[in-house]
Amino acid sequence: MSNDFVLETRDLTREFKGFVAVNGVNLRVRRGTIHALIGPNGAGKTTCFNLLTKFLQPTRGRILYKGEDITSVKPAAVARRGMVRSFQISAVFPHMTVLENIRVALQRKLGSSFHFWRTERTLQSLNERAFALMEEVGLRSFANTLAVELPYGRKRTLELATTLALEPELMLLDEPTSGMGAEDIALVTSLIQRVSAQRTILMVEHNLSVVSRLCHTITVLQRGSILAEGTYEEVSQNPQVREAYLGATVAT
């Protein structure tokens, strides 16, 4: 595996009672880029993502992270190595403030997760990093707001902040703009662009406008296999990709 690629799959396959959901996928994610996994409904995106993030085991094939075979490694162990699934692994507690949520995530990184009996004075040591994270994601003014009271888009940014607290080298984002209106989509898209500095991001995303704005490389799945790969301009002009999307207009 070249040092240029932080994540690679070889013949990644997952079958469910004879149905092949992911079929021989060879994926390579270049270090320091934003890479999208897209495709029409039923293309195998979610299954592929669950395989990569270790929520499913493959029927066959291998997953390599930074050159190491992680095919059989548990999700928590993979996260400790710097590969973190945002919006899924993040623990956001609705009746804790933004500051308290981020401090819990910072405790996880330190190996002291859920030590809620620690004194407030002890937790103060985490505040500097917590406030820096809030600044990074635009939540500084919400520090004392309960998570349950946040607008939807701000809740997603809090989830992203708790993921950043784990200092990931590779972030995997599962439809980060799903269910959002235009204003929140713009907020989260801009945030992803900001936090991508010095990190690699792999995302499953249905919003092609977001993909076109953010992503350096796009892999298109159809029926569990890779149909096309390249820049947004390349894949959006591919006749097979257009046919896979059933004639839907591809954003430019």
Side-chain angles (χ1 to χ4, degrees):
M1 180 177 180
S2 168
N3 287 333
D4 290 343
F5 299 99
V6 68
L7 182 68
E8 182 178 351
T9 68
R10 298 177 182 172
D11 192 34
L12 191 64
T13 301
R14 173 69 189 203
E15 299 177 4
F16 295 97
K17 297 181 179 179
F19 170 71
V20 183
V22 173
N23 187 10
V25 167
N26 295 305
L27 180 71
R28 295 199 300 175
V29 179
R30 188 176 296 275
R31 191 182 303 274
T33 65
I34 304 178
H35 191 128
L37 195 60
I38 70 170
N41 290 337
K45 302 185 300 297
T46 298
T47 302
C48 187
F49 211 65
N50 284 335
L51 290 167
L52 294 174
T53 54
K54 316 316 309 300
F55 288 83
L56 285 175
Q57 282 294 311
T59 304
R60 64 178 178 273
R62 299 170 65 203
I63 303 169
L64 303 177
Y65 172 60
K66 296 196 293 187
E68 296 183 31
D69 191 325
I70 62 165
T71 310
S72 300
V73 178
K74 299 296 183 184
V78 171
R80 285 193 292 272
R81 298 185 191 190
M83 176 175 162
V84 181
R85 181 174 183 166
S86 181
F87 308 146
Q88 298 291 332
I89 199 169
S90 304
V92 174
F93 299 94
H95 297 292
M96 293 173 65
T97 67
V98 168
L99 173 59
E100 290 166 341
N101 267 285
I102 295 175
R103 287 196 311 205
V104 167
L106 289 168
Q107 287 183 74
R108 283 192 314 196
K109 178 65 177 177
L110 296 173
S112 55
S113 305
F114 311 118
H115 286 193
F116 296 115
W117 59 86
R118 288 192 166 203
T119 65
E120 181 69 18
R121 182 179 176 183
T122 303
L123 292 175
Q124 292 292 330
S125 63
L126 301 174
N127 280 359
E128 183 177 357
R129 178 59 181 148
F131 280 110
L133 283 167
M134 283 186 278
E135 287 286 354
E136 188 172 2
V137 302
L139 284 176
R140 178 63 182 82
S141 62
F142 294 91
N144 297 314
T145 303
L146 294 178
V148 71
E149 296 174 356
L150 290 172
Y152 182 66
R154 297 292 181 177
K155 287 178 183 175
R156 302 303 291 267
T157 61
L158 174 57
E159 291 168 343
L160 185 54
T162 62
T163 302
L164 290 172
L166 299 179
E167 300 180 5
E169 183 175 344
L170 172 61
M171 295 177 63
L172 299 110
L173 310 183
D174 190 1
E175 299 202 3
T177 67
S178 177
M180 292 185 180
E183 183 176 345
D184 284 340
I185 288 174
L187 171 72
V188 171
T189 300
S190 177
L191 175 59
I192 292 170
Q193 200 159 39
R194 284 206 312 276
V195 304
S196 66
Q198 300 180 339
R199 298 183 181 96
T200 306
I201 294 178
L202 175 65
M203 59 193 294
V204 170
E205 179 55 59
H206 68 285
N207 187 317
L208 296 181
S209 294
V210 171
V211 170
S212 68
R213 177 179 170 183
L214 287 178
C215 299
H216 303 95
T217 304
I218 294 95
T219 300
V220 185
L221 289 181
Q222 183 186 33
R223 300 192 183 99
S225 300
I226 294 179
L227 177 64
E229 187 170 87
T231 65
Y232 183 80
E233 290 72 21
E234 290 168 342
V235 300
S236 66
Q237 298 303 318
N238 185 308
Q240 291 178 300
V241 173
R242 289 180 171 273
E243 184 180 352
Y245 275 94
L246 302 176
T249 300
V250 180
T252 58

